[in-house]
Amino acid sequence: MSVTGLNKIEKKAAFSLAAVFGLRMLGLFMILPVFAVYGTQLAGYSPVWLGLAIGAYGLTQAMLQIPMGILSDKFGRKPVILAGLLVFLLGSIVAAMSDTIYGVVFGRALQGMGAIASAVLALAADLSREEQRPKVMATIGMFIGLSFTVAMVFGPIVAQLFGLSGLFWFTAALTVLAMLMIQFMVPQSVHKAPRGDNVAVTGQLNTLFRHGQLSRLNIGVFVLHMALTACFVTLPKQLIDSGLALEQHWQLYLPALLGSFFFMVPFMIIAIKKQKEKQMFVAAVALLTLSLLLFWYLPSSFVVLATLIVLFFIAFNYLEATMPSILSRLAPAGVKGSAMGIYSSSQFLGAFAGGLIGGAVSTAYGEQSIFLVMAVLSLLWVVAAMGMKPLKKSKSYSFATNIASEEEADEVAELLINMPGVIEATLVHSEAVAYLKVDEKQVDLKDVKALLNRADSVS
């Protein structure tokens, strides 16, 4: 089996699971560019309830993300994913049939209860080899980013053609398609990746919550998605007031998002090649803060809004793309699944907080004040980001072992940590797995495997 590229099963798993993830996120995101306008037509409307409708899914997602991953360990990946998609489908139908803001909030909360992200990523890990797993995960990440862009473009078009109810029915149809893909296109899992690589282990969460560097990322992704959700409590209305009809908003979002990607890539290249990742990261958070401050301060003309939307999304897309990579390098060996579980929960909790705070601030101080509040909170993130330690180049690996005892595991771990290029080594005897974090330029993986094989043969 070649290790130079994805094999047939890995390709099928990567693209089918990425499509499932993308379809689901498309359904969640499509409400963002339209609900601030269409939500005002629902009975019981108020700015607070509008914000809750936009962000309600985030609270239930945050609460159930880790438990659903653990359930997938017990009952299997596909059954849990299908159950989650069924709940998401029910939430979409409830929202589609509601003519009150309260029903839409309930439907959105139900959508969030279908928290399948951790189970999908765990299945992707099960269906890929260690050396190819980053490519599979990158494919899924790419589809999530693409789904956001598509949602910004098609959300206003679908809403214009079929109304708010039609948008939720469209989401329900996408969910049925995702369920069919899980059942008939996603390969059956033939082996399982080590648990610590992809699913949260509850005993490790406490320690990771107190991890200084990881907590900065968790706070950051919370603020990032809070700002995104809060801005869309008012931004669609401001675009209409500037003279751009809702059904034409895609004509702004599409070039703005494509332009932000175009400008973002050179910064990512510079950060990696010049080893200036921390500096570029802090600069991106500062750009996010500046764009929010200018949204508040400058008059809301079309040219100003269009320019600031591009600046906002350059920062947003850079941070969204780089933070998971940073997290995988900062997470201690063997607990990447737990670290990602906390990170994902923080992300969705931020979306909920953004909707709630955006609605509350709008009611108390006016919609324009949303940007100022978000700018102040983003400024606090700038301060936290400046305290990050310089990032070391590293990559995580896991290897199966047959080590006979905890004592032998400790001895082998000590030998591994003293090998050139090995940054961290954790051997979990109960899982028969060795987790390593290494500097790829210095480590010799053949020597690592030889040591583990020697330990296996001795045991």
Side-chain angles (χ1 to χ4, degrees), residues 226-285:
M226 176 175 61
L228 176 72
T229 310
C231 286
F232 276 97
V233 170
T234 181
L235 195 55
K237 297 178 190 175
Q238 295 198 0
L239 287 172
I240 290 174
D241 291 342
S242 73
L244 190 67
L246 183 62
E247 63 271 19
Q248 296 175 319
H249 284 193
W250 69 270
Q251 298 173 12
L252 171 61
Y253 290 134
L254 182 59
L257 285 163
L258 292 177
S260 69
F261 280 116
F262 176 79
F263 286 113
M264 174 192 77
V265 171
F267 291 118
M268 294 183 72
I269 294 171
I270 292 169
I272 294 169
K273 284 192 173 182
K274 302 291 186 180
Q275 295 187 346
K276 299 288 186 183
E277 288 177 275
K278 177 187 171 181
Q279 291 90 331
M280 284 295 184
F281 184 85
V282 173
V285 182

Side-chain angles (χ1 to χ4, degrees), residues 418-442:
N418 288 312
M419 294 179 71
V422 177
I423 300 169
E424 290 180 20
T426 303
L427 273 72
V428 184
H429 172 240
S430 59
E431 294 183 19
V433 64
Y435 296 104
L436 273 72
K437 185 181 288 187
V438 302
D439 181 339
E440 284 197 299
K441 290 185 177 179
Q442 297 182 31

Side-chain angles (χ1 to χ4, degrees), residues 20 28 76 90 106 164 176 216 252 377 404 440 451:
V20 168
L28 284 173
L90 291 174
F106 179 63
L164 187 63
V176 172
R216 285 177 167 82
L252 171 61
L377 294 171
E440 284 197 299
L451 175 59

Side-chain angles (χ1 to χ4, degrees), residues 107-284:
R108 290 282 284 175
L110 262 181
Q111 283 183 322
M113 290 178 69
I116 62 169
S118 54
V120 169
L121 294 175
L123 180 56
D126 292 344
L127 290 167
S128 56
R129 295 162 292 166
E130 168 64 38
E131 62 273 9
Q132 299 302 328
R133 200 165 295 148
K135 296 178 185 176
V136 175
M137 298 302 181
T139 303
I140 293 174
M142 180 181 69
F143 271 62
I144 295 173
L146 183 62
S147 71
F148 182 81
T149 303
V150 173
M152 292 296 102
V153 173
F154 281 97
I157 296 173
V158 173
Q160 172 68 18
L161 291 173
F162 305 108
L164 187 63
S165 176
L167 190 147
F168 284 117
W169 283 118
F170 184 71
T171 298
L174 293 178
T175 309
V176 172
L177 178 60
M179 294 174 75
L180 292 172
M181 292 182 71
I182 286 290
Q183 188 63 32
F184 299 110
M185 290 185 63
V186 176
Q188 293 295 327
S189 177
V190 291
H191 73 283
K192 286 195 177 291
R195 188 165 182 246
D197 266 358
N198 54 79
V199 174
V201 180
T202 51
Q204 300 164 343
L205 298 179
N206 232 5
T207 304
L208 292 173
F209 272 119
R210 298 194 299 268
H211 191 291
Q213 299 302 303
L214 289 176
S215 64
R216 285 177 167 82
L217 283 181
N218 296 330
I219 291 169
V221 78
F222 177 91
V223 172
L224 184 66
H225 282 264
M226 176 175 61
L228 176 72
T229 310
C231 286
F232 276 97
V233 170
T234 181
L235 195 55
K237 297 178 190 175
Q238 295 198 0
L239 287 172
I240 290 174
D241 291 342
S242 73
L244 190 67
L246 183 62
E247 63 271 19
Q248 296 175 319
H249 284 193
W250 69 270
Q251 298 173 12
L252 171 61
Y253 290 134
L254 182 59
L257 285 163
L258 292 177
S260 69
F261 280 116
F262 176 79
F263 286 113
M264 174 192 77
V265 171
F267 291 118
M268 294 183 72
I269 294 171
I270 292 169
I272 294 169
K273 284 192 173 182
K274 302 291 186 180
Q275 295 187 346
K276 299 288 186 183
E277 288 177 275
K278 177 187 171 181
Q279 291 90 331
M280 284 295 184
F281 184 85
V282 173

Side-chain angles (χ1 to χ4, degrees), residues 237-454:
K237 297 178 190 175
Q238 295 198 0
L239 287 172
I240 290 174
D241 291 342
S242 73
L244 190 67
L246 183 62
E247 63 271 19
Q248 296 175 319
H249 284 193
W250 69 270
Q251 298 173 12
L252 171 61
Y253 290 134
L254 182 59
L257 285 163
L258 292 177
S260 69
F261 280 116
F262 176 79
F263 286 113
M264 174 192 77
V265 171
F267 291 118
M268 294 183 72
I269 294 171
I270 292 169
I272 294 169
K273 284 192 173 182
K274 302 291 186 180
Q275 295 187 346
K276 299 288 186 183
E277 288 177 275
K278 177 187 171 181
Q279 291 90 331
M280 284 295 184
F281 184 85
V282 173
V285 182
L287 179 61
L288 183 80
T289 306
L290 177 63
S291 67
L292 290 167
L293 198 59
L294 292 176
F295 269 124
W296 168 73
Y297 182 74
L298 295 178
S300 299
S301 68
F302 175 76
V303 173
V304 168
L305 288 173
T307 303
L308 294 180
I309 285 171
V310 173
L311 290 179
F312 178 89
F313 278 111
I314 290 173
F316 179 89
N317 289 325
Y318 182 90
L319 294 164
E320 186 81 343
T322 55
M323 283 201 288
S325 171
I326 294 172
L327 178 134
S328 68
R329 287 152 60 186
L330 289 177
V335 295
K336 190 164 61 176
S338 300
M340 186 57 76
I342 296 171
Y343 176 87
S344 297
S345 296
S346 301
Q347 172 183 328
F348 288 118
L349 199 58
F352 169 72
L356 182 62
I357 294 172
V361 169
S362 175
T363 300
Y365 304 106
E367 291 185 357
Q368 198 67 15
S369 299
I370 294 172
F371 298 117
L372 178 60
V373 172
M374 291 301 117
V376 170
L377 294 171
S378 184
L379 183 61
L380 296 177
W381 182 16
V382 174
V383 176
M386 289 173 69
M388 288 176 62
K389 295 178 182 176
L391 297 168
K392 295 180 180 178
K393 283 190 172 293
S394 66
K395 188 171 181 179
S396 296
Y397 285 93
S398 56
F399 300 95
T401 71
N402 290 313
I403 293 174
S405 66
E406 292 288 354
E407 292 77 14
E408 187 183 352
D410 290 339
E411 291 174 11
V412 175
E414 186 65 28
L415 291 171
L416 285 168
I417 202 64
N418 288 312
M419 294 179 71
V422 177
I423 300 169
E424 290 180 20
T426 303
L427 273 72
V428 184
H429 172 240
S430 59
E431 294 183 19
V433 64
Y435 296 104
L436 273 72
K437 185 181 288 187
V438 302
D439 181 339
E440 284 197 299
K441 290 185 177 179
Q442 297 182 31
V443 75
D444 189 330
L445 290 178
K446 290 181 181 177
D447 289 347
V448 170
K449 292 176 182 178
L451 175 59
L452 290 170
N453 289 337
R454 191 160 64 246

